[in-house]
Amino acid sequence: MLHGIREGVVALDRTGRIRLLNDEARRLLGIGDEAVGRSLDEALGEGRTTDVLAGRVTGTDLLAVRGQRVLVTNRMPTDDGGAVATLRDRTELEQLGRELDSTHGLIDALRAQDHEHANRMHTLLGLLELEMYDDAVDFVGEVVGDHRATAEQVTEKIQDPLLAALLVGKATVAAERGVALWISDRTWLPDRLIDPRGLVTVVGNLVDNALDAVAGTPHARVEVELRTEGRTTVLRVRDTGPGIPAEQRELIFTEGWSTKKPRLTESAESGSPWCVGSPNGREAARWQPRRSAAARSSSSSSPRL
């Protein structure tokens, strides 16, 4: 009967060794019959999945990652001193959540651009009604020039079109929130990425977090740095926010820890890419897609978007 249910089931004895795995657990964890009789650390290796199944992390509906799968796990002790853990596959839900987050980000960027466009049209209409035609011509020229300059500043340094488009959109959102978004003078991504979608997600999340941290503060500023080191893309997002509270700085490297309320679609185990928040209000990430460009540097000053 256990082998016919859709949830993975892992039974452990009092010493923490695996004594039973059903078919779904084998599939989700990527292990076979050889794991029976072994400890979780031996069968699965170190990581959050092992910690959750072993009871070192407590709670209900805990998220963990195993390979490419996002799992929701629960663990219950048994009368004999062992435990039974159940696993549910939430990979598709995680993917849908990420797509929804990306869609919301795009909608926010479009809304900000629409709001900015409406303001400019109202200004232009007012200039025309006042018969200030020369001022209207100058205003249109300035608006077009500003937009072109913003796009050119990004595309000169970031050759991947998806990343460049993301940052141009984020610049509009930042401006609406009263935040100056800058591209670091060290930014240089000379080639297109083979699969940029993961990096787009990381960049978007870090920039959104930075905007949330500084919005409404005086002289709010967010700076983005993207560069290559061999086949690795290095990303740094700096902001002028307050940073991590001193009493919580030792917690930032704990898997699953966040100052935000967790959602079901958020993964609690680090994978590739991995992200780290630093105590001084900066965030950094490294991403390793397959790419051939060597690292270069840019000598131009940091442009404001």
Side-chain angles (χ1 to χ4, degrees):
M1 183 179 68
L2 286 177
H3 295 285
I5 64 177
R6 293 177 59 87
E7 289 190 355
V9 177
V10 180
L12 306 171
D13 63 21
R14 66 179 61 193
T15 65
R17 295 186 177 276
I18 299 173
R19 63 184 182 185
L20 175 69
L21 288 165
N22 71 345
D23 292 341
E24 184 67 0
R26 291 186 178 93
R27 184 183 73 86
L28 295 177
L29 296 175
I31 55 178
D33 292 334
E34 72 281 356
V36 176
R38 302 170 64 186
S39 68
L40 289 169
D41 293 290
E42 294 173 340
L44 301 178
E46 296 181 354
R48 180 176 171 83
T49 302
T50 301
D51 291 340
V52 170
L53 294 179
R56 292 191 286 265
V57 179
T58 60
T60 58
D61 291 337
L62 297 173
L63 286 178
V65 173
R66 180 68 179 174
Q68 299 298 315
R69 299 186 183 280
V70 179
L71 307 177
V72 178
T73 65
N74 284 282
R75 185 182 188 275
M76 294 178 294
T78 57
D79 293 337
D80 62 357
V84 174
T86 60
L87 309 166
R88 287 173 288 161
D89 191 352
R90 286 295 180 268
T91 307
E92 292 184 2
L93 181 61
E94 168 76 8
Q95 292 174 343
L96 290 173
R98 290 184 181 275
E99 291 177 4
L100 182 60
D101 288 342
S102 298
T103 302
H104 284 164
L106 178 60
I107 291 174
D108 287 342
L110 291 174
R111 177 188 52 78
Q113 289 179 343
D114 179 67
H115 184 260
E116 185 177 7
H117 178 72
N119 287 338
R120 289 170 174 173
M121 290 300 98
H122 294 155
T123 302
L124 179 60
L125 177 62
L127 291 172
L128 294 176
E129 289 181 345
L130 294 172
E131 299 183 356
M132 301 172 65
Y133 303 121
D134 291 339
D135 291 333
V137 171
D138 293 340
F139 176 74
V140 172
E142 179 182 348
V143 167
V144 173
D146 286 345
H147 180 74
R148 183 182 296 118
T150 298
E152 289 177 353
Q153 287 169 356
V154 175
T155 56
E156 283 176 359
K157 292 174 172 289
I158 300 174
Q159 300 300 311
D160 189 89
L162 285 182
L163 284 171
L166 172 71
L167 288 174
V168 171
K170 292 297 183 185
T172 303
V173 174
E176 187 184 54
R177 300 181 68 177
V179 179
L181 181 61
W182 291 68
I183 296 294
S184 168
D185 59 350
R186 300 185 65 188
T187 291
W188 180 240
L189 202 63
D191 294 325
R192 295 176 61 137
L193 300 174
I194 294 177
D195 184 10
R197 291 173 296 177
L199 185 54
V200 165
T201 298
V202 175
V203 173
N205 286 343
L206 290 182
V207 171
D208 286 343
N209 288 344
L211 293 178
D212 290 341
V214 302
T217 62
H219 312 294
R221 170 174 165 155
V222 173
E223 182 180 76
V224 178
E225 177 185 331
L226 268 169
R227 56 186 174 83
T228 57
E229 290 183 359
R231 295 172 59 86
T232 300
T233 299
V234 179
L235 164 66
R236 286 189 175 90
V237 178
R238 302 178 178 89
D239 64 63
T240 56
I244 304 296
E247 66 275 10
Q248 297 181 345
R249 291 179 183 177
E250 295 301 321
L251 300 174
I252 63 175
F253 298 107
T254 302
E255 292 178 354
W257 182 85
S258 175
T259 55
K260 295 185 177 181
K261 293 182 179 180
R263 298 172 301 171
L264 183 60
T265 57
E266 289 180 343
S267 170
E269 182 176 58
S270 60
S272 179
W274 55 260
C275 301
V276 175
S278 62
N280 59 2
R282 300 179 179 181
E283 296 175 279
R286 285 178 182 262
W287 179 256
Q288 289 186 300
R290 297 183 302 276
R291 57 189 318 278
S292 59
R296 303 188 205 176
S297 62
S298 172
S299 59
S300 60
S301 60
S302 300
R304 176 179 176 178
L305 301 187

